[in-house]
Amino acid sequence: MPVPVGAYAGQPSCFDRMKVGFMIGFSVGMATGGLFGGFNALRYGLRGAELLKNVGKVMVQGGGSFGTFMAIGAGIRC
């Protein structure tokens, strides 16, 4: 019985590992940005649209920065 050929014939490439590292880091950064940004915005007394805009901005910034560092770390390990 022949072995099915998937997307990877062997190990994933270095670029694929960096993409996965970025996505994991982006997800973790978004989650922590939501927690810390939400608590911080509520502490400042933001409500409604201001709250959502502020928390969304903090989540994207946290996700982007942590994702970048995770991608760089994965690239170094290749």
Side-chain angles (χ1 to χ4, degrees), residues 46-56:
L46 299 179
R47 297 286 185 260
E50 287 180 328
L51 176 73
L52 292 178
K53 189 184 297 186
N54 191 350
V55 171

Side-chain angles (χ1 to χ4, degrees), residues 26-42 51 54-63:
F26 193 81
S27 300
V28 171
M30 288 277 283
T32 57
L35 287 173
F36 294 132
F39 288 134
N40 203 19
L42 289 174
L51 176 73
N54 191 350
V55 171
K57 184 176 76 168
V58 170
M59 287 175 72
V60 171
Q61 286 176 346

